[in-house]
């Protein structure tokens, strides 16, 4: 048989059905699509009007009007843009996936025109989204530069009609006859919400009006309604597209408040553009204070991504790593490849590039504030230090930069003052190699922790890890500037010069030999509560403390894990005693029940000193009262 070239045949009704019912995940998208078309139509009229003045001789106020009739169940979206003639209707609304807007753009490009308008349409399917909510759509349109109006009508049964009609003025009105289950979209608040979400930065005013006003509407109600209806629903100005020097601080602040629903001005405003491989414009804000939802797992909204002024998405982790979730703002890119439903981006690599550029920008702004204004940086760190530390904990790409931005209180500095890691390293005692820290629930607990006594006596400062996240951070910090991190609440620690360490070890081992029987009795008395009892090298003033094994999880971490419902392996800790302490000497001289009670009290006091609850508070109270009576 001879080879023949055939045309694909298509069941138009089926394809339309696919477009309408399978393309979009949400019905509400219809409004975004019809408004985008109206905006494109006005852009085209405005652009052509630059050279063909007679096209815009009616000198219109460019606008998009949405009028709803909840009795007739109709919505009309009207623009005074370019309009369509019979031929355009045929080509654009009569053929699926044919985009007049794309053709318009290409024609201008071929002509070599510059300053092209930023048109939205490109796929030629958005219009049909109307059928997700409407069972009949009627388009009444009159093209600028002609004198005839046409009406296009379809009920999505695979056919449409086109006929001549009358229309006041140029432009297009799309009338939707709503399906009963979609009538909620006629409500003013719903429309207003959708416009704010998807079309807030369309550059023409979008207004809402109600057609089915009750005949007996009171004068004051009418007045209020008309005032409301005169106000555009959208913000219109895409501030991020204007040069920074042309935007007032108050405009940025108002925009931030609109975006974040914060009532305070932003702490820092960051307008910037990305160039090179991916071009985009961004306007970011750092808030002054954390929002209520900062530490809630259900925070879903992050930066808003716009492509040509139309909202595409604001998934929390799309454009920022999770630890930067406090940053608010907008990213806009004209040439991001969208998929047909515009609900997703086609190229994840491009989004990743934007994400890393945005992250790096925020980091460099913070580095700059740190360098130029320590007081201001402290304000920021007080509000958001804990989230930065999440980054130091789990953002492996930026860990090094973030570690230079986090601060900790220290045993030597005044309460409320914090140090950068580099400050700590700069002030290390001579011969000190490691960075010492202690983890506790509060700064006070950390400051008073017995485990840090000996380090202090040897002239070493100790960082106090008392933000909730610090318990996790403690597990992931390895080295800073060549110095290892050492948790004083864990494992064996030694201080001072080689000779000092050696001498200290020898005298401890000697004392341990002498006190062997006593240490064994303490362990016997405490039973399974502790894994081991030994003499301490980290205590000077306190009688005892509890320490974990080198690789064990800290008690604070264990409490956090338990609180979040995770099972925590039972780790027995070591009770370290200060052989030189008078209390320990006293206990050594006791026996029988007196010995057991004193050991129990010693153990409980070690728990209390680190901020842990005692196992049996009633018994502790009783023992304490008895002791006081003595
Ligand atoms: P797209 O907007 O992606 O091109 P649509 O299916 O939404 O696809 O629209 C198809 C075409 O119909 C548009 O490209 C445009 O030429 C024309 N069109 C749609 N709505 C209007 C309107 N309000 N005014 C003028 N032309 C319109």
């Amino acid at each position: 048989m001879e080879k023949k070239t055939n045309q694909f045949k298509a069941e138009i009704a089926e394809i339309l059905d696919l477009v309408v019912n399978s393309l979009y995940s949400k019905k509400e998208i219809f409004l975004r699509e019809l408004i985008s078309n109206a905006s494109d139509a006005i852009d085209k009229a405005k652009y052509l009007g630059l050279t063909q003045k007679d096209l815009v001789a009616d000198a219109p106020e460019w606008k998009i009007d949405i009028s709803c009739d909840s009795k007739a169940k109709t919505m009309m979206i009207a623009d005074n843009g370019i309009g369509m003639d019979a031929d355009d209707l045929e080509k654009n609304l009569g053929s699926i996936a044919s985009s007049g807007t794309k053709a318009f753009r290409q024609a201008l490009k071929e002509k070599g025109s510059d300053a092209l308008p930023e048109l939205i349409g490109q796929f030629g399917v958005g219009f049909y989204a109307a059928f997700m909510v409407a069972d009949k759509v009627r388009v009444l349109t009159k093209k600028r530069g002609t004198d005839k109006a046409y009406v296009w009508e379809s009920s999505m049964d695979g056919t449409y009609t086109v006929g001549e009609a009358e229309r006041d003025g140029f432009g297009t009105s799309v009338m939707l006859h709503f399906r009963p289950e979609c009538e909620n979209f006629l409500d003013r608040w719903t429309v207003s919400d959708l416009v704010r979400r998807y079309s807030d930065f369309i550059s023409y005013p979008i207004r809402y009006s109600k057609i089915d006003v009750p005949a007996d509407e009171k004068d004051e109600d009418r007045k209020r309604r008309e005032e409301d209806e005169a106000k555009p629903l959208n913000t219109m100005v895409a501030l991020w597209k204007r040069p920074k020097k042309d935007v007032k601080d108050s405009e940025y602040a108002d925009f931030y408040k609109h975006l974040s629903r914060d009532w305070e001005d932003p702490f820092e405003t960051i307008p910037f553009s990305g160039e090179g491989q991916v071009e985009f414009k961004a306007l970011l804000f750092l808030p002054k204070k954390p929002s209520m939802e900062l530490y809630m797992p259900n925070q879903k909204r992050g930066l808003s991504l716009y492509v040509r002024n139309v909202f595409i998405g604001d998934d929390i982790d799309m454009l920022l790593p999770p630890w930067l979730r406090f940053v608010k703002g907008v990213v806009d890119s004209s040439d991001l490849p969208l998929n047909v439903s515009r609900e997703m981006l086609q190229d994840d690599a491009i989004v990743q590039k934007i994400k890393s550029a945005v992250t790096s920008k925020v980091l460099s702004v913070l580095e700059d504030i740190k360098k130029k204004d320590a007081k201001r940086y402290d304000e920021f760190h007080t509000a958001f230090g804990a989230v930065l530390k999440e980054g130091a904990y789990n953002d492996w790409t930026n860990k090094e930069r973030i570690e230079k931005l986090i601060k900790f209180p220290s045993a030597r500095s005044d309460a409320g003052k914090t140090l950068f890691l580099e400050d700590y390293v700069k002030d290390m005692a001579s011969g000190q190699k490691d960075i010492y820290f202690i983890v506790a629930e509060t700064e006070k607990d950390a400051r008073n922790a017995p485990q840090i006594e000996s380090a202090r006596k040897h002239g070493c400062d100790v960082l106090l890890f008392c933000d909730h996240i610090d318990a996790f951070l403690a597990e992931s910090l390895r080295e800073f500037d060549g110095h290892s991190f050492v948790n004083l609440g864990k494992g064996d620690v030694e201080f001072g010069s080689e000779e000092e360490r050696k001498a200290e070890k020898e005298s401890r081992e000697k004392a341990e030999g002498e006190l062997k029987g006593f240490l064994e009795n303490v362990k016997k008395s405490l039973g399974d509560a502790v894994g081991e009892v030994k003499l301490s090298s980290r205590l000077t003033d306190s009688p005892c403390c509890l320490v974990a094994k080198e690789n064990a999880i800290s008690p604070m971490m264990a409490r956090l894990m338990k609180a979040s419902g995770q099972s925590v392996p039972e780790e027995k800790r070591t009770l370290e005693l200060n052989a030189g302490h008078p209390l320990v000497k006293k206990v050594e001289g006791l026996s029988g029940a007196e010995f057991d009670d004193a050991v129990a009290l010693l153990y409980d006091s070690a728990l209390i000193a680190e901020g842990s609850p005692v196992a049996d508070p009633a018994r502790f109270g009783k023992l304490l009262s008895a002791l006081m009576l003595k």
Side-chain angles (χ1 to χ4, degrees):
M1 194 175 118
E2 204 186 320
K3 234 206 268 171
K4 221 169 76 185
T5 305
N6 294 306
Q7 285 269 323
F8 281 111
K9 291 185 192 66
E11 289 295 334
I12 295 300
E14 298 285 320
I15 291 196
L16 250 178
D17 190 65
L18 264 180
V19 168
V20 171
N21 296 312
S22 314
L23 191 57
Y24 302 103
S25 65
K26 293 184 198 133
K27 284 195 165 54
E28 63 194 33
I29 295 295
F30 82 92
L31 194 58
R32 178 192 76 180
E33 291 300 322
L34 296 180
I35 290 175
S36 300
N37 282 349
S39 163
D40 278 351
I42 298 177
D43 273 345
K44 288 176 204 166
K46 255 177 86 176
Y47 184 80
L48 295 177
L50 292 176
T51 47
Q52 304 167 47
K53 299 264 184 278
D54 52 326
L55 270 193
V56 289
D58 55 338
E61 181 223 353
W62 302 111
K63 59 185 180 154
I64 301 168
D65 290 323
I66 303 176
S67 27
C68 293
D69 185 332
S70 54
K71 279 214 187 89
K73 322 277 185 235
T74 59
M75 173 188 277
M76 190 164 79
I77 297 148
D79 64 67
N80 49 5
I82 189 73
M84 285 177 273
D85 59 17
D87 199 33
D88 293 332
L89 283 171
E90 201 78 34
K91 266 197 229 130
N92 299 327
L93 304 189
S95 15
I96 300 165
S98 154
S99 169
T101 301
K102 189 174 168 186
F104 183 89
R105 191 188 298 117
Q106 262 162 1
L108 290 183
K109 262 195 193 153
E110 276 159 24
K111 267 209 275 172
S113 316
D114 41 36
L116 297 182
E118 236 190 2
L119 300 170
I120 307 162
Q122 54 177 327
F123 299 116
V125 293
F127 170 79
Y128 307 101
F131 289 104
M132 287 196 289
V133 291
D135 45 22
K136 192 167 102 184
V137 177
R138 189 169 179 269
V139 179
L140 180 60
T141 177
K142 187 169 174 188
K143 186 169 181 166
R144 288 185 176 272
T146 71
D147 54 7
K148 268 203 191 121
Y150 294 90
V151 60
W152 177 103
E153 226 175 273
S154 174
S155 302
M156 217 193 69
D157 52 1
T159 67
Y160 64 91
T161 59
V162 180
E164 282 188 26
E166 290 298 319
R167 189 187 195 276
D168 284 343
F170 300 108
T172 304
S173 328
V174 180
M175 171 81 95
L176 312 177
H177 294 263
F178 271 69
R179 297 173 194 280
E181 71 276 15
C182 299
E183 285 162 18
N184 60 313
F185 288 117
L186 293 168
D187 169 62
R188 176 184 162 92
W189 300 114
T190 312
V191 171
S192 156
D193 258 10
L194 292 178
V195 169
R196 261 188 70 155
R197 182 160 172 75
Y198 293 106
S199 312
D200 206 16
F201 304 109
I202 291 292
S203 23
Y204 309 106
I206 304 169
R207 294 191 184 87
Y208 176 96
S209 62
K210 189 174 162 70
I211 304 285
D212 55 322
V213 182
D216 56 351
E217 186 178 31
K218 285 198 204 117
D219 270 359
E220 60 201 89
D221 290 345
R222 184 183 47 81
K223 218 174 130 217
R224 198 172 325 122
R225 181 177 51 77
E226 285 174 354
E227 269 169 21
D228 274 352
E229 292 182 354
K231 286 184 221 148
L233 303 175
N234 54 331
T235 308
M236 289 185 277
V237 265
L239 267 196
W240 59 89
K241 293 197 171 157
R242 289 180 20 203
K244 191 176 174 203
K245 62 175 180 29
D246 296 347
V247 184
K248 287 197 218 103
D249 284 351
S250 60
E251 284 178 283
Y252 277 135
D254 287 345
F255 180 67
Y256 163 74
K257 288 175 192 167
H258 167 81
L259 199 75
S260 63
R261 295 170 199 243
D262 190 350
W263 50 271
E264 279 196 274
D265 286 356
F267 175 78
E268 185 77 15
T269 302
I270 314 171
F272 80 111
S273 21
E275 274 144 28
Q277 288 166 311
V278 197
E279 296 204 359
F280 66 90
K281 287 201 159 52
L283 177 55
L284 311 178
F285 298 96
L286 308 182
K288 280 193 178 140
K289 295 201 186 90
S291 66
M292 297 269 282
E293 55 185 12
L294 189 66
Y295 294 106
M296 292 184 185
N298 57 358
Q299 190 191 341
K300 297 214 170 56
R301 289 195 182 175
L303 296 184
S304 303
L305 177 68
Y306 288 82
V307 173
R308 278 173 243 126
N309 292 348
V310 179
F311 174 81
I312 304 299
D314 60 2
D315 286 354
I316 181 80
D317 50 4
M318 181 167 63
L319 294 171
L320 284 175
W323 63 275
L324 277 178
R325 62 186 177 277
F326 58 92
V327 179
K328 304 277 175 243
V330 168
V331 173
D332 186 326
S333 176
S334 295
D335 40 32
L336 269 183
L338 293 170
N339 75 354
V340 182
S341 71
R342 290 175 208 277
E343 289 172 44
M344 264 185 293
L345 297 161
Q346 276 178 350
D347 189 344
D348 196 47
I350 296 190
V351 184
Q352 288 309 323
K353 278 190 192 120
I354 297 184
K355 188 172 178 174
S356 77
V358 171
T359 308
S360 182
K361 178 70 187 180
V362 176
L363 281 168
S364 68
V365 167
L366 293 178
E367 285 157 358
D368 206 47
I369 303 177
K370 171 185 164 184
K371 201 161 85 193
K372 293 193 181 134
D373 191 341
K375 197 164 154 261
R376 206 159 168 260
Y377 188 83
D378 276 354
E379 267 171 50
F380 168 79
H381 192 275
T382 308
F384 295 106
V387 222
L388 282 194
K389 288 173 180 179
E390 278 180 37
Y393 170 63
N394 58 21
D395 184 342
W396 293 97
T397 322
N398 298 296
K399 202 173 175 56
E400 272 182 35
R401 285 177 83 181
I402 308 171
E403 281 177 358
K404 294 197 178 117
L405 290 170
I406 53 178
K407 299 189 84 182
F408 300 91
S410 86
R412 202 186 284 159
S413 55
D414 297 338
K417 255 200 90 179
T418 49
L419 298 183
F420 288 107
L421 293 173
E422 68 222 28
D423 298 333
Y424 178 94
V425 168
K426 222 178 341 162
D427 281 346
M428 287 207 307
S430 74
Q432 179 183 351
K433 286 200 207 75
D434 299 330
I435 299 173
Y436 297 117
F437 70 89
I438 182 83
V439 184
E441 204 132 350
T442 65
E443 188 178 324
K444 202 160 156 224
D445 284 345
R447 230 171 247 291
N448 297 331
Q451 289 92 333
I452 70 173
E453 287 170 358
S454 193
R456 300 279 292 126
K457 201 181 117 203
H458 283 88
C460 306
D461 199 2
V462 179
L463 296 175
L464 311 177
F465 278 28
C466 34
D467 269 326
H468 261 196
I469 179 71
D470 289 350
F472 295 88
L473 196 57
E475 309 297 322
S476 83
L477 289 174
R478 295 281 169 265
E479 248 190 40
F480 181 83
D481 202 10
H483 302 277
S484 306
F485 284 89
V486 171
N487 184 344
L488 292 181
K490 271 185 178 182
D492 290 323
V493 286
E494 290 172 337
F495 305 96
S497 63
E498 284 300 317
E499 291 92 78
E500 280 174 307
R501 288 175 191 220
K502 214 169 130 212
E504 204 275 338
K505 195 166 172 228
E506 275 167 13
S507 85
R508 184 159 34 96
E509 279 171 358
K510 186 163 161 264
E512 252 165 358
E514 287 163 8
L515 294 172
K516 192 163 177 272
F518 167 62
L519 294 174
E520 278 169 9
N521 287 339
V522 175
K523 165 74 182 102
K524 222 184 278 166
S525 175
L526 288 171
D528 280 344
V530 295
E532 205 184 333
V533 178
K534 61 183 196 181
L535 293 185
S536 183
S537 57
R538 66 193 100 207
L539 297 174
T540 56
D541 304 330
S542 303
C544 60
C545 68
L546 284 158
V547 294
K549 291 253 160 14
E550 187 63 50
N551 297 317
I553 50 171
S554 66
M556 163 113 165
M557 179 88 146
R559 276 201 297 283
L560 287 175
M561 285 170 72
K562 271 188 198 151
S564 69
Q566 298 182 55
S567 68
V568 182
E570 208 45 65
E571 296 265 12
K572 294 212 170 56
R573 289 190 293 154
T574 303
L575 179 69
E576 288 193 356
L577 297 173
N578 179 353
H581 199 282
L583 198 59
V584 175
K585 290 202 171 115
K586 185 103 195 222
V587 176
E588 196 200 340
L590 301 175
S591 61
E594 263 189 340
F595 177 81
D596 287 337
D597 289 351
V599 168
L601 269 176
L602 262 184
Y603 173 67
D604 284 349
S605 72
L607 285 172
I608 291 170
E610 67 176 26
S612 293
V614 296
D616 185 348
R619 174 161 183 251
F620 173 73
K622 239 194 234 157
L623 289 175
L624 197 63
S625 321
L627 186 70
M628 278 154 65
L629 282 175
K630 270 188 214 160

